[in-house]
Amino acid sequence: MMSVSNAQAKPSIQICRIMRPDDANIVGNVHGGTILKMIEEAGCIIGTRHCNTQNGDHCVAALARVERTDFLYPMFIGEVAHVSAEITYTSKHSVEVQINVLSENIVTGAKKVTNKATLWYVPFSLQNVSKITEVPPIEYSSSEQEEAGKKRYEAQKLERLETKERNGEILMSVSVPEPYTVAFSQSSLIHLIGPSDCTLHGFVHGGVTMKLMDEVAGIVAARHCKTNIVTASVDAINFHRKIKKGCVITVSGRMTFTSNKSMEIEVFVYADQLVEAEKGKYRAVTAFFTYISLDKDNKPLPVPPLKLEGEEEQKRFDEGKARYLQNKAKRLADKECQQ
Amino acid sequence: MMSVSNAQAKPSIQICRIMRPDDANIVGNVHGGTILKMIEEAGCIIGTRHCNTQNGDHCVAALARVERTDFLYPMFIGEVAHVSAEITYTSKHSVEVQINVLSENIVTGAKKVTNKATLWYVPFSLQNVSKITEVPPIEYSSSEQEEAGKKRYEAQKLERLETKERNGEILMSVSVPEPYTVAFSQSSLIHLIGPSDCTLHGFVHGGVTMKLMDEVAGIVAARHCKTNIVTASVDAINFHRKIKKGCVITVSGRMTFTSNKSMEIEVFVYADQLVEAEKGKYRAVTAFFTYISLDKDNKPLPVPPLKLEGEEEQKRFDEGKARYLQNKAKRLADKECQQ
Amino acid sequence: MMSVSNAQAKPSIQICRIMRPDDANIVGNVHGGTILKMIEEAGCIIGTRHCNTQNGDHCVAALARVERTDFLYPMFIGEVAHVSAEITYTSKHSVEVQINVLSENIVTGAKKVTNKATLWYVPFSLQNVSKITEVPPIEYSSSEQEEAGKKRYEAQKLERLETKERNGEILMSVSVPEPYTVAFSQSSLIHLIGPSDCTLHGFVHGGVTMKLMDEVAGIVAARHCKTNIVTASVDAINFHRKIKKGCVITVSGRMTFTSNKSMEIEVFVYADQLVEAEKGKYRAVTAFFTYISLDKDNKPLPVPPLKLEGEEEQKRFDEGKARYLQNKAKRLADKECQQ
């Protein structure tokens, strides 16, 4: 047992990583989101570590608030991001973490402070997820320092209370479609094409598009029947136009048909050339996915029937039914052939 | 140089990989999309390799069509997926690849055929992306085999032509909002929470949420000004409710304000409990992101002004302007403090 | 311009990260490959940074060799891996980096040294990829230290020369082999190199290759003993030829030796240039991985003996046994030294 004593452990940490093509846009600028995610990881490590330094329930520090964060300089692929985090204030139930982000060009040696951030964490018990545990106090180098921390704490507490009310309000105004209708389960996602999504000449791999289509179809199916769902089949898909690097693709799905034990979902892919002025948005791919719902032993469950609204939906349902019956007949014929 | 002769190389390939938690849903069923992506990767490798076996332009095989694909058995985390691909027909400009997918439980030794798929590829020149190159012919073991392949080729060609027309049609019917309006650039994505997005007690890392928020905000900004854009700042974000494993989160962004050289985008995160009956959809987070537009030398570019429609948008614009002026004043004050 | 002076920068670095579900197997043990990849990233950062500290061509440090690496304790999901790297020797054209890996359970506070590794890097010019640049010398605290480094340098140089010769090929049998034979567990995977797998000049990171090698070795081991298995050690690996972006790499593994509680797996990496004219498949890397089998409490289990078929397999087994006994003797000698 080679366990290392951490009696002297200061509440600080540093994490770093090389920025890869997938962390950046096509011009090479690292996404702000990549940096925010690293900042939060550092905060979560130091916060969780600190909150477990005294006896009591084991806990995990959950992010409660991020103060305004500025991005002072762009960061680039191949640079190393250094994120250093330090605990600067603790209240009874929260921890303030201050973070500095530095970009280092390991080839030229240039270093720049790109971000400063302040995060607030609250520790939740691992045994009882709704219980907030107590935070061990830190030592301050001066009473002024402690006083300044307390002021920051009070200010953010006030602001948190305000936004809590605001968020509650808006929740009510969302009009929700009736369960089991097409409108209830229909879903849409957008995906910014990254370098790893593309072939050598900068077009999106067909497999990437199909994976996103299946993802949307799965969300539509899960929203409809609220159980564990799996892909049963995919109809033929034609790729007429290639989708280029730097595009945003929008993938939308809507349910068209339900049988006793299956759901058919139509999926559309639109490609949107963001930067190049030329084209605008165009439909790139369409397909039908069939999903089934499974119980805990992976046996098929009955599917709630789709509630249709209007002629359009009825027409699509009937077309779906025709496809369903045709596939069923074909499967039977194939079986007989094999016998 | 230990290069191995590949004169006798048959046009076939086998790829395999262990299924990881992120390949599956929370119950452990591997997503259909993960398998479709592996199938297409195998097809792309074998197609590209074959199309480069004779002299002429170097090329990459692009997916043109996938025939109907059935998922015969579910696959699980920890199993090994084996994807074997074989070229079964070539026309002058296309390649048919047939693929078998096998799941292997390496612990029990059980193996199952989970999918069979047929893909069609077309080779595009690396020098001139719009040029289709010629496909080297393969040898058939019998003329019946060649004849059967030709029939499959003709059948899919016909169906491709049909869907091409259909897709073209629908393209026209999409009503497009006017450029520079709020409606034009507003965007929304959904994300199914995976295992790697979560903390030890099954809640989403705040950093994961922030990364998705930044992704949507970036798409809104790029749609508005169609240039290279980067995050300049993020206003304070409060996390009032924890988002749980198995949720679908919807992240939406709309532009609220533009100054000469910056754009403010409001981002909303909704969490939607898919499987657990309890809650339904709730607003989890909101925040304001500020983006700037950069030229090739990373110098800020002017931003096209936002076209406002209706009182609501005007009100949000004015509020955005107030935040903008307040931050500007604060930056100036900070600068003076430092001097 | 807020660039920070790095006059005081010591040639050392520390990187750390929370282990996620995708970094581990289904029982929660972090893959040896995940750790090897982090080790190599730390080595690449510190090596590249150091080689650019004097005037001359900008360069990137490419991995040339990893010394034998032992995995002393398993690491688990949710723990933080700390990788600290230090430059310990420089020759005219190579850099020795020594690395320590520590696992930290941020909830219980437990810390363990899980690995120690030694890596050798060679700097290649960014302007001319086939040119090796000169390495700035480091300062040694004593002449004994420098002398010891020089000995390590000469020893690895000699061994690198020897391995360049080694050869062999894995032939996959079609018929289903008997359990516990070499043919039964041998495995192969294929990976299409993506942008995030590569360095700034478009060559595959050594760490990416090692991670794939560990993945194949793990499949071979699991197929053989059908239990939870973990990496126990990796023999020295030499990287003789760089693997380029756009390649397909094939990684194959076969079991060579079993002792009572361990398995030795030989892993080969072939690189296959899909598109470029030079083409041909070539052997890029080989290595020996040792795995052990663990029960539910992470205690070692007995390993079923390997059934040998033919002289070749017997010969490899005997060689494996010699390596095993040699390592065992070395471990004992090291222990006595420390007492």
Side-chain angles (χ1 to χ4, degrees):
Chain A
M1 188 79 174
M2 241 190 286
S3 94
V4 174
S5 135
N6 64 345
Q8 81 297 354
K10 266 181 38 188
S12 77
I13 198 171
Q14 186 164 2
I15 74 180
C16 70
R17 180 160 83 71
I18 298 185
M19 294 294 105
R20 292 182 291 250
D22 280 355
D23 297 318
N25 64 20
I26 44 170
V27 192
N29 287 120
V30 170
H31 295 299
T34 301
I35 297 167
L36 289 171
K37 198 176 166 201
M38 286 187 74
I39 285 176
E40 204 277 320
E41 183 170 338
C44 177
I45 293 176
I46 194 178
T48 301
R49 183 198 274 166
H50 177 72
C51 293
N52 284 288
T53 48
Q54 68 182 16
N55 290 337
D57 274 9
H58 286 320
C59 61
V60 173
L63 181 65
R65 180 179 163 89
V66 186
E67 301 293 345
R68 182 188 162 80
T69 307
D70 289 303
F71 292 79
L72 309 173
Y73 289 97
M75 203 182 281
F76 297 95
I77 296 174
E79 292 187 343
V80 175
H82 296 262
V83 178
S84 53
E86 201 186 352
I87 294 185
T88 43
Y89 184 77
T90 53
S91 74
K92 194 175 174 192
H93 290 300
S94 68
V95 177
E96 185 197 52
V97 180
Q98 290 195 5
I99 287 178
N100 280 298
V101 184
L102 204 84
S103 73
E104 176 191 6
N105 184 321
I106 50 176
V107 173
T108 65
K111 285 180 188 180
K112 281 180 181 179
V113 174
T114 60
N115 304 77
K116 286 169 185 288
T118 304
L119 286 76
W120 294 88
Y121 283 87
V122 173
F124 287 89
S125 162
L126 273 174
Q127 277 71 48
N128 172 0
V129 183
S130 52
K131 184 185 159 196
I132 297 179
T133 60
E134 275 193 32
V135 174
I138 59 165
E139 274 174 35
Y140 301 94
S141 56
S142 67
S143 60
E144 283 79 20
Q145 212 185 48
E146 183 170 3
E147 208 47 51
K150 196 169 184 178
K151 265 186 197 158
R152 291 192 303 271
Y153 169 71
E154 298 292 351
Q156 64 86 25
K157 202 172 164 183
L158 201 71
E159 232 190 278
R160 270 176 66 73
L161 274 176
E162 279 171 22
T163 62
K164 197 166 187 178
E165 275 172 31
R166 230 195 300 154
N167 274 2
E169 249 174 64
I170 306 166
L171 215 152
M172 303 300 121
S173 73
V174 180
S175 90
V176 180
E178 206 188 333
Y180 309 127
T181 59
V182 175
F184 181 80
S185 60
Q186 72 183 11
S187 303
S188 190
L189 67 78
I190 46 177
H191 175 76
L192 182 58
I193 298 302
S196 287
D197 298 328
C198 292
T199 65
L200 279 179
H201 44 22
F203 291 102
V204 176
H205 277 293
V208 169
T209 310
M210 290 195 288
K211 188 166 189 282
L212 290 168
M213 293 171 86
D214 179 67
E215 194 176 325
V216 163
I219 290 172
V220 172
R223 277 184 168 157
H224 182 78
C225 62
K226 299 197 174 301
T227 53
N228 180 34
I229 48 84
V230 297
T231 318
S233 68
V234 187
D235 256 27
I237 311 179
N238 293 300
F239 294 81
H240 292 299
R241 289 182 64 166
K242 283 169 287 170
I243 306 172
K244 230 171 151 177
K245 199 165 75 178
C247 266
V248 167
I249 67 178
T250 306
V251 187
S252 304
R254 66 179 172 206
M255 197 161 291
T256 44
F257 167 75
T258 51
S259 73
N260 283 343
K261 300 221 169 149
S262 74
M263 298 160 269
E264 189 197 59
I265 296 115
E266 189 173 14
V267 180
F268 304 88
V269 179
Y270 295 92
D272 194 347
Q273 205 70 32
L274 274 194
V275 173
E276 287 173 47
E278 32 164 338
K279 284 171 199 167
K281 205 168 171 174
Y282 60 91
R283 158 117 27 131
V285 194
T286 24
F288 291 101
F289 283 72
T290 301
Y291 269 75
I292 54 173
S293 164
L294 296 181
D295 69 8
K296 281 176 190 171
D297 307 316
N298 288 303
K299 297 264 173 280
L301 284 171
V303 165
L306 189 62
K307 280 191 193 165
L308 301 173
E309 296 173 316
E311 274 174 48
E312 267 293 310
E313 291 186 10
Q314 182 65 54
K315 183 167 162 266
R316 286 200 294 265
F317 187 91
D318 295 340
E319 289 166 0
K321 193 171 189 175
R323 279 186 295 270
Y324 168 75
L325 294 174
Q326 200 184 330
N327 282 323
K328 206 171 172 179
K330 196 170 170 298
R331 268 206 308 278
L332 281 174
D334 286 355
K335 247 186 199 164
E336 275 170 28
C337 273
Q338 286 167 10
Q339 280 165 356
Chain B
M1 183 84 172
M2 244 188 284
S3 96
V4 173
S5 135
N6 63 347
Q8 81 298 357
K10 268 181 36 186
S12 78
I13 200 173
Q14 187 165 0
I15 74 179
C16 70
R17 181 160 83 70
I18 297 187
M19 294 295 102
R20 291 184 289 249
D22 280 355
D23 296 320
N25 64 20
I26 43 169
V27 192
N29 287 121
V30 170
H31 295 299
T34 301
I35 296 166
L36 290 170
K37 198 178 167 200
M38 284 186 75
I39 286 176
E40 204 275 320
E41 183 170 336
C44 177
I45 292 174
I46 193 178
T48 301
R49 184 195 276 164
H50 177 72
C51 293
N52 285 288
T53 48
Q54 67 182 18
N55 291 335
D57 272 11
H58 290 319
C59 61
V60 173
L63 181 64
R65 179 178 164 90
V66 185
E67 300 294 344
R68 180 185 165 82
T69 307
D70 289 303
F71 292 78
L72 309 173
Y73 290 99
M75 204 181 280
F76 298 95
I77 296 174
E79 293 188 342
V80 174
H82 296 261
V83 179
S84 53
E86 201 186 349
I87 293 185
T88 43
Y89 184 77
T90 52
S91 74
K92 195 174 173 192
H93 290 302
S94 67
V95 178
E96 185 199 49
V97 181
Q98 289 194 7
I99 288 178
N100 280 300
V101 185
L102 203 84
S103 73
E104 176 192 6
N105 183 321
I106 47 178
V107 172
T108 66
K111 285 181 188 178
K112 282 182 180 174
V113 174
T114 60
N115 304 76
K116 286 169 185 289
T118 305
L119 286 76
W120 294 89
Y121 284 86
V122 172
F124 288 88
S125 161
L126 272 174
Q127 278 71 47
N128 171 1
V129 183
S130 52
K131 183 183 161 199
I132 297 178
T133 59
E134 275 193 30
V135 174
I138 60 164
E139 275 174 35
Y140 301 93
S141 56
S142 69
S143 61
E144 284 79 21
Q145 211 184 49
E146 183 169 4
E147 208 47 49
K150 196 167 185 182
K151 268 187 196 157
R152 291 192 303 272
Y153 169 72
E154 297 294 350
Q156 63 87 25
K157 202 171 162 185
L158 201 72
E159 232 191 276
R160 271 177 66 73
L161 274 176
E162 279 171 23
T163 62
K164 195 165 187 178
E165 276 172 30
R166 229 194 301 154
N167 274 2
E169 252 173 60
I170 306 165
L171 216 151
M172 302 301 120
S173 74
V174 180
S175 91
V176 179
E178 204 187 336
Y180 309 126
T181 59
V182 174
F184 182 80
S185 60
Q186 73 183 9
S187 303
S188 188
L189 67 78
I190 47 177
H191 175 75
L192 182 59
I193 297 302
S196 289
D197 297 328
C198 292
T199 65
L200 277 182
H201 44 20
F203 291 102
V204 176
H205 276 293
V208 169
T209 310
M210 290 196 287
K211 188 165 188 280
L212 290 167
M213 294 171 85
D214 179 67
E215 195 176 325
V216 163
I219 291 173
V220 172
R223 278 184 167 157
H224 182 78
C225 62
K226 300 197 173 299
T227 53
N228 179 35
I229 49 83
V230 297
T231 318
S233 69
V234 187
D235 255 29
I237 311 180
N238 293 300
F239 294 80
H240 292 299
R241 287 183 67 170
K242 283 168 286 171
I243 305 173
K244 230 171 149 177
K245 199 165 74 178
C247 267
V248 167
I249 66 177
T250 307
V251 186
S252 304
R254 64 178 172 207
M255 196 162 289
T256 44
F257 168 75
T258 51
S259 73
N260 284 343
K261 301 221 167 151
S262 73
M263 298 160 270
E264 187 197 59
I265 296 116
E266 188 172 14
V267 181
F268 304 90
V269 180
Y270 295 93
D272 194 349
Q273 205 71 32
L274 273 195
V275 173
E276 287 174 44
E278 34 163 337
K279 282 173 201 163
K281 206 167 170 176
Y282 60 89
R283 156 111 34 126
V285 195
T286 24
F288 292 101
F289 283 73
T290 301
Y291 269 75
I292 53 173
S293 164
L294 297 181
D295 68 9
K296 282 176 189 173
D297 308 314
N298 288 302
K299 298 263 174 281
L301 283 171
V303 165
L306 188 62
K307 279 190 193 166
L308 301 173
E309 296 174 315
E311 274 175 46
E312 268 293 311
E313 291 186 10
Q314 182 65 55
K315 183 167 161 264
R316 287 200 294 264
F317 187 92
D318 295 340
E319 288 166 0
K321 193 170 189 175
R323 279 185 295 270
Y324 168 77
L325 294 173
Q326 199 183 330
N327 282 322
K328 204 170 172 179
K330 195 170 171 296
R331 269 204 309 278
L332 281 174
D334 286 354
K335 243 184 200 166
E336 273 170 29
C337 270
Q338 285 167 9
Q339 280 164 358
Chain C
M1 187 79 174
M2 241 190 286
S3 95
V4 174
S5 132
N6 65 346
Q8 81 295 356
K10 271 178 34 184
S12 78
I13 198 170
Q14 189 165 1
I15 74 180
C16 70
R17 180 161 84 69
I18 297 184
M19 294 294 104
R20 291 183 291 251
D22 266 16
D23 297 320
N25 64 18
I26 42 171
V27 192
N29 287 121
V30 170
H31 294 298
T34 301
I35 297 167
L36 290 171
K37 199 178 166 198
M38 285 187 74
I39 286 176
E40 203 276 320
E41 181 170 340
C44 177
I45 293 176
I46 193 177
T48 301
R49 183 198 274 165
H50 177 73
C51 293
N52 284 288
T53 47
Q54 68 182 17
N55 290 337
D57 274 10
H58 285 322
C59 61
V60 173
L63 181 64
R65 180 180 163 89
V66 185
E67 299 295 344
R68 181 187 166 80
T69 306
D70 289 302
F71 292 79
L72 309 173
Y73 290 98
M75 203 181 281
F76 297 94
I77 297 173
E79 292 186 343
V80 175
H82 296 263
V83 179
S84 54
E86 201 185 353
I87 294 185
T88 43
Y89 184 76
T90 53
S91 75
K92 194 174 173 193
H93 289 301
S94 67
V95 177
E96 185 197 50
V97 180
Q98 290 195 5
I99 288 179
N100 280 299
V101 185
L102 203 85
S103 73
E104 176 192 6
N105 183 321
I106 49 174
V107 172
T108 66
K111 286 180 189 179
K112 282 179 180 179
V113 174
T114 61
N115 303 76
K116 286 169 185 288
T118 305
L119 287 75
W120 293 89
Y121 284 87
V122 172
F124 287 89
S125 161
L126 273 174
Q127 278 72 47
N128 172 1
V129 183
S130 52
K131 183 184 160 197
I132 297 177
T133 60
E134 275 192 31
V135 174
I138 59 164
E139 274 175 33
Y140 302 93
S141 57
S142 68
S143 61
E144 285 79 19
Q145 212 185 48
E146 183 169 2
E147 207 46 51
K150 195 168 185 181
K151 267 186 196 158
R152 292 191 303 271
Y153 169 72
E154 298 294 350
Q156 63 87 26
K157 202 171 163 184
L158 201 72
E159 231 190 277
R160 272 174 64 74
L161 277 174
E162 279 171 22
T163 61
K164 223 165 178 175
E165 307 302 324
R166 204 165 54 189
N167 208 342
E169 182 144 22
I170 295 186
L171 294 170
M172 288 293 159
S173 73
V174 186
S175 69
V176 179
E178 206 187 335
Y180 309 126
T181 60
V182 174
F184 181 80
S185 60
Q186 71 186 10
S187 305
S188 191
L189 69 79
I190 283 184
H191 176 74
L192 181 59
I193 297 302
S196 286
D197 298 327
C198 293
T199 65
L200 278 181
H201 44 21
F203 291 102
V204 176
H205 276 293
V208 169
T209 310
M210 290 195 287
K211 188 164 187 279
L212 290 167
M213 294 171 86
D214 177 68
E215 192 176 328
V216 162
I219 293 175
V220 173
R223 276 183 170 157
H224 182 78
C225 62
K226 304 194 175 301
T227 52
N228 179 36
I229 48 84
V230 298
T231 318
S233 68
V234 187
D235 254 30
I237 311 179
N238 293 301
F239 293 80
H240 292 300
R241 287 184 63 167
K242 282 170 287 171
I243 306 172
K244 230 170 151 176
K245 199 164 74 180
C247 265
V248 167
I249 67 177
T250 307
V251 187
S252 304
R254 65 177 172 211
M255 196 160 291
T256 44
F257 168 75
T258 51
S259 73
N260 284 342
K261 302 221 168 150
S262 72
M263 299 159 268
E264 187 197 59
I265 296 117
E266 187 172 14
V267 180
F268 304 89
V269 180
Y270 294 92
D272 193 350
Q273 205 72 31
L274 274 193
V275 173
E276 286 179 42
E278 25 168 327
K279 270 186 246 173
K281 203 168 168 177
Y282 60 91
R283 159 101 42 114
V285 194
T286 24
F288 292 101
F289 283 72
T290 301
Y291 269 75
I292 53 172
S293 163
L294 296 181
D295 69 8
K296 282 176 190 170
D297 307 315
N298 289 302
K299 299 262 173 282
L301 284 170
V303 165
L306 188 63
K307 280 191 190 163
L308 300 173
E309 296 174 314
E311 274 175 46
E312 268 293 311
E313 291 186 10
Q314 183 65 56
K315 183 167 161 263
R316 285 200 296 264
F317 187 91
D318 295 341
E319 288 166 359
K321 192 169 188 174
R323 278 186 295 271
Y324 168 77
L325 294 173
Q326 200 183 332
N327 283 322
K328 204 169 170 181
K330 197 172 170 296
R331 269 205 309 278
L332 281 173
D334 286 354
K335 246 185 200 164
E336 273 169 30
C337 271
Q338 285 166 10
Q339 281 164 357

